[in-house]
């Protein structure tokens, strides 16, 4: 509310009040077109007790472009963007822009009121992850200047992306970082504007309208937020006032060896407050419904990606970054205190205990943790030729050993379809039909497995190529003369899986307790078959899931079931409408009494090839 640039009146004179934290600077001036970028024109006044420089400049208003000219403690003069600037020029320009204090009125009051219940962990959650710069591209007049096409605007995204995702039945949109960043290829994970929506897509108010449109369509909006590190661009936070102000001075703690970036000094109160304020700002000013924190593992461990001798133990001699741990705990406490119902997600790839457990029991306080183990095991299994899958069935069962240790989200994210990893469809073995069948089986397995779901854009229709951030998705595949029907089939199956997830409490109510899951048979290794049941609260209803990960249809397969009444098949990833062979179980399946696979009765079914089916009791 006070730092940065604010258009306001002072003693009845309109202007802009500037305030910036630079305690080690020798001199700070605000510069812009209004003073021909001359640092001598508007020197700022220092409040030495806080290290804050401030100045009110009459006659300025929203739209004014500015920077801070800082004569640092090291004697070097730097031009810096405002760390708390709320809008920035579009890259490659790097100045900050004053925004209006008046924002568009919100229309999502009803959404915000019901958000806490809608986002409870016993509710369905299916997230569509999107990189806004490459979901679709707009036409351009100069193809040489923008070879991949132009970025869509927030208004265009509200008109095109929001209804597309809502029609597919997803519950949430997750936006890869829209915090301002200088390099497109960083995908936003190397941020300079922690309070500024990227100008690539429009203004902050247009972003508010986008969120409003998503809420009106019944979609929650989640943002990727990257406090783990920041880039060294000259206009950014690095050596801001000629000292290591935001970054840790010790290179063993302050420099990231993998990404060539700087690491925040989480133990410095002003730095921690800056980041916490950023998180709360997005929740408050833009009504977003949750924040996914990137690269949490790199924050938790002092030796992350470091060799022996390149890191310093904590005061107890351990490898844990105690300052970062306290930072994350306080982050989660603040979010949940100030914005009840908002969610926090951790991308955390290690066995750190209690990531998604409450603070009062010693956890980090996140609501959900990405289950990267499930993702790796499942994709490695399905990448095997089916003839070899019997040697790897443990990869499909291991996740159930630890499924209740955390509140897990199952991610098939952007990281799995880039940098030579192939698209999800491209990972699958076999001929074209088998690849699509494997992909459909992957999605049906994912939606039946305990945990919330996340799918990256393009995966919903089976893109062949790896994702590329400089071009739009291959939408033409849906109309391809040879395989278009298969791509449309995958898209239709994803829509149906989202509908089924919402409609059946057994598939979402008890994701985080053993009472919601029961193995029927995980030992049919030779035939690569898995059988299990999912239960709603109090076991009021259930779904039986049968998976056949070979291309061999299996008629007359006996399955133990919990209920004595008839069952019906209500989802089959091999159905003709999705591009499958049509093998399955069209009529009621009447159980026969007698113990089988630990159940009191059993049914005889046909297991389709490379497919997963869902069965439920036939109710009157």
């Amino acid at each position: 509310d006070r730092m940065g640039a604010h258009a306001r009146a002072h003693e009845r004179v309109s202007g802009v009040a500037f305030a910036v934290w630079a305690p080690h600077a020798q001199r700070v001036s605000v510069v812009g077109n209004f003073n021909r970028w001359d640092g001598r024109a508007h020197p700022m006044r220092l409040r030495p007790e806080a290290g804050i420089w401030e100045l009110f400049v009459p006659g300025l208003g929203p739209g004014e472009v500015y920077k801070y000219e800082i004569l640092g403690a090291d004697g070097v003069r730097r031009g810096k963007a405002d760390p708390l600037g709320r809008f920035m020029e579009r890259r490659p320009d790097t100045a900050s822009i004053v925004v209006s204090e008046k924002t568009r009125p919100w229309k999502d009051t009803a959404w915000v009121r019901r958000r806490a219940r809608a986002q409870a962990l016993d509710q369905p959650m299916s997230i569509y992850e999107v990189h806004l710069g490459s979901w679709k591209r707009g036409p351009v007049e100069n193809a040489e200047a923008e070879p991949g096409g132009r970025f869509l605007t927030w208004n265009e995204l509200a008109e095109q992306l929001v209804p597309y995702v809502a029609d597919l039945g997803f519950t949430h949109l997750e936006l890869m970082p829209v915090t301002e960043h200088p390099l497109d290829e960083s995908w936003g994970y190397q941020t300079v504007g922690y309070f500024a929506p990227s100008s690539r897509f429009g203004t902050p108010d247009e972003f508010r309208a986008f969120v409003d449109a998503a809420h009106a369509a019944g979609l929650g909006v989640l943002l990727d937020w990257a406090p783990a590190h920041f880039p060294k661009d000259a206009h950014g936070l690095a050596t801001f006032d000629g000292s290591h102000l935001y970054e840790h001075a010790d290179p063993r703690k302050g420099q990231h060896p993998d990404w060539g970036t700087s690491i925040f000094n989480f133990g410095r109160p002003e730095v921690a407050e800056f980041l916490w304020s950023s998180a709360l700002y997005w929740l408050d000013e833009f009504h977003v419904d949750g924040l996914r924190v990137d690269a949490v593992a790199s924050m938790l461990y002092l030796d992350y990606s470091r060799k022996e001798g390149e890191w310093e133990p904590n005061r107890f001699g351990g490898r844990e970054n105690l300052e970062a741990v306290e930072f994350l705990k306080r982050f989660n406490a603040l979010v949940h205190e100030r914005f009840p119902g908002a969610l926090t997600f951790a991308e955390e790839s290690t066995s750190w205990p209690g990531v998604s457990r409450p603070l009062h029991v010693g956890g980090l306080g996140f609501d959900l943790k990405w289950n990267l183990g499930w993702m790796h095991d499942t994709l490695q299994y399905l990448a095997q030729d089916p003839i070899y899958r019997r040697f790897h069935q443990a990869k499909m069962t291991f996740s159930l050993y630890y499924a209740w240790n955390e509140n897990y989200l199952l991610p098939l994210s952007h990281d799995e379809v880039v940098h030579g990893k192939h698209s999800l469809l491209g990972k699958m073995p076999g001929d074209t039909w088998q690849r699509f069948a494997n992909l459909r089986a992957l999605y049906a397995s994912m939606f039946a497995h305990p945990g919330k779901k996340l799918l990256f854009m393009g995966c919903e229709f089976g893109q062949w190529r790896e994702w590329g951030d400089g071009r739009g998705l291959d939408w033409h595949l849906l109309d391809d003369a040879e395989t278009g029907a298969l791509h449309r089939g995958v898209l239709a199956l994803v829509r149906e899986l989202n509908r089924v997830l919402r409609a059946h409490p057994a598939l979402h109510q008890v994701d985080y307790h053993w009472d919601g899951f029961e193995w029927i048979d995980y030992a049919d290794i030779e035939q690569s078959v898995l059988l299990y049941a999912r239960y709603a609260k109090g076991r009021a209803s259930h779904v039986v899931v049968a998976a056949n990960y070979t291309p061999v249809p299996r008629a007359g397969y006996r399955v133990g079931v919990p209920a004595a009444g008839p069952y019906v098949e209500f989802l089959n990833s091999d159905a003709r409408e999705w591009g499958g062979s049509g093998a399955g179980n069209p009529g009621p399946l009447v159980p026969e009494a007698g113990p089988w696979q630990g159940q009191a009765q059993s049914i005889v079914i046909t297991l389709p090839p490379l497919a997963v089916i869902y069965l439920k009791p036939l109710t009157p």
Side-chain angles (χ1 to χ4, degrees), residues 11 66 69 130 195 201 219 228 239 281 296 455 493 504 520 551:
E11 295 183 355
Y66 71 99
E69 184 183 281
V130 61
F195 294 77
F201 313 110
L219 291 170
T239 56
Y281 179 78
V296 170
L455 191 64
L493 174 62
H504 291 81
I520 296 174

Side-chain angles (χ1 to χ4, degrees), residues 449-467:
H449 192 287
K452 307 311 179 186
K453 329 297 178 188
L454 180 145
L455 191 64
F456 183 58
M457 66 180 198
C459 299
E460 77 275 14
F461 61 81
Q463 177 152 315
W464 280 109
R465 287 196 297 179
E466 282 190 348
W467 167 55

Side-chain angles (χ1 to χ4, degrees), residues 350-616:
T350 75
S351 57
W352 186 283
V355 171
S356 58
R357 291 292 177 258
L359 300 176
H360 69 267
V361 298
L364 293 183
F366 286 94
D367 294 291
L368 295 114
K369 170 179 172 172
W370 278 28
N371 193 339
L372 297 173
W374 168 87
M375 178 273 297
H376 284 298
D377 286 348
T378 301
L379 293 181
Q380 287 177 11
Y381 176 83
L382 288 173
Q384 298 284 338
D385 187 294
I387 198 172
Y388 300 118
R389 287 177 180 170
R390 66 184 186 274
F391 302 116
H392 302 278
Q393 187 142 319
K395 288 190 177 295
M396 296 297 283
T397 60
F398 181 63
S399 62
L400 275 306
Y401 282 97
Y402 61 83
W404 329 122
N405 294 348
E406 300 277 1
N407 300 333
Y408 281 117
L409 180 145
L410 311 180
L412 293 174
S413 74
H414 64 279
D415 279 328
E416 312 321 315
V417 295
V418 74
H419 297 329
K421 297 178 183 178
H422 306 290
S423 67
L424 292 185
L425 183 61
K427 298 177 195 291
M428 301 301 157
D431 59 23
T432 297
W433 187 91
Q434 289 179 335
R435 286 186 167 191
F436 277 94
N438 277 304
L439 186 66
R440 295 192 302 268
L442 166 63
Y443 294 162
S445 297
M446 174 187 183
F447 275 72
H449 192 287
K452 307 311 179 186
K453 329 297 178 188
L454 180 145
L455 191 64
F456 183 58
M457 66 180 198
C459 299
E460 77 275 14
F461 61 81
Q463 177 152 315
W464 280 109
R465 287 196 297 179
E466 282 190 348
W467 167 55
D469 60 79
R471 62 175 186 267
L473 297 177
D474 294 334
W475 297 101
H476 64 276
L477 293 174
L478 294 167
D479 299 315
D480 185 82
E482 295 184 4
T483 62
L486 291 171
H487 291 287
R488 293 193 299 273
V490 173
L491 187 69
L493 174 62
V494 169
R495 181 185 290 109
E496 179 64 8
L497 285 167
N498 278 321
R499 187 195 69 78
V500 165
L501 180 70
R502 291 174 184 257
H504 291 81
L507 294 175
H508 66 253
Q509 275 190 348
V510 192
D511 275 327
Y512 303 121
H513 192 273
W514 59 266
D515 196 46
F517 179 91
E518 180 184 16
W519 280 117
I520 296 174
D521 185 15
Y522 56 81
D524 190 358
I525 295 171
E526 288 301 315
Q527 298 189 90
S528 300
V529 172
L530 290 174
L531 307 171
Y532 54 91
R534 293 293 312 277
Y535 292 93
K537 288 182 178 179
R539 302 212 164 187
S541 64
H542 69 273
V543 170
V544 171
V545 180
N548 174 20
Y549 295 111
T550 72
V552 180
R554 305 191 187 281
Y557 196 95
R558 187 171 292 277
V559 178
V561 292
Y567 281 77
V568 291
E569 177 186 282
F570 67 97
L571 186 131
N572 181 346
S573 70
D574 187 52
R576 292 189 185 279
E577 57 193 305
W578 324 130
S581 70
N585 305 275
L589 301 159
V590 180
E592 300 175 15
W596 188 259
Q597 294 173 331
Q599 307 296 324
Q601 53 276 316
S602 61
I603 56 177
V604 176
I605 66 173
T606 294
L607 284 174
L610 296 174
V612 177
I613 62 173
Y614 299 173
L615 306 162
K616 65 179 181 179

Side-chain angles (χ1 to χ4, degrees), residues 235-393:
H235 67 289
L237 299 176
T239 56
F240 188 78
D241 63 354
S243 71
H244 296 291
L245 190 63
Y246 288 90
E247 66 271 38
H248 214 292
D250 186 341
R252 294 173 297 180
K253 294 182 179 180
Q255 301 300 316
H256 201 292
D258 287 348
W259 303 319
T261 51
S262 296
I263 299 173
F264 285 104
N265 184 351
F266 300 110
R268 185 166 194 167
E270 299 93 337
V271 174
E273 291 283 356
F274 167 80
L275 290 170
W276 294 328
S277 295
S278 167
L280 298 175
Y281 179 78
W282 294 95
L283 294 162
D284 185 25
E285 285 290 324
F286 299 104
H287 287 205
V288 301
D289 303 290
L291 297 171
R292 177 257 191 188
V293 182
D294 180 61
V296 170
S298 73
M299 301 171 68
L300 292 176
Y301 296 97
L302 294 167
D303 63 344
Y304 185 89
S305 286
R306 298 180 191 274
K307 299 176 183 178
E308 188 174 350
E310 295 179 349
W311 62 281
E312 182 182 33
N314 63 36
R315 64 181 181 272
F316 302 112
R319 55 198 284 254
E320 300 82 8
N321 188 334
L322 303 178
E323 296 168 342
V325 170
E326 292 307 311
F327 167 82
L328 290 170
K329 288 182 176 181
R330 182 61 178 154
F331 156 76
N332 282 307
L334 285 167
V335 168
H336 293 125
E337 287 170 7
R338 305 284 182 88
F339 298 95
L343 297 175
T344 60
F345 303 74
E347 187 217 10
E348 204 285 311
S349 55
T350 75
S351 57
W352 186 283
V355 171
S356 58
R357 291 292 177 258
L359 300 176
H360 69 267
V361 298
L364 293 183
F366 286 94
D367 294 291
L368 295 114
K369 170 179 172 172
W370 278 28
N371 193 339
L372 297 173
W374 168 87
M375 178 273 297
H376 284 298
D377 286 348
T378 301
L379 293 181
Q380 287 177 11
Y381 176 83
L382 288 173
Q384 298 284 338
D385 187 294
I387 198 172
Y388 300 118
R389 287 177 180 170
R390 66 184 186 274
F391 302 116
H392 302 278
Q393 187 142 319

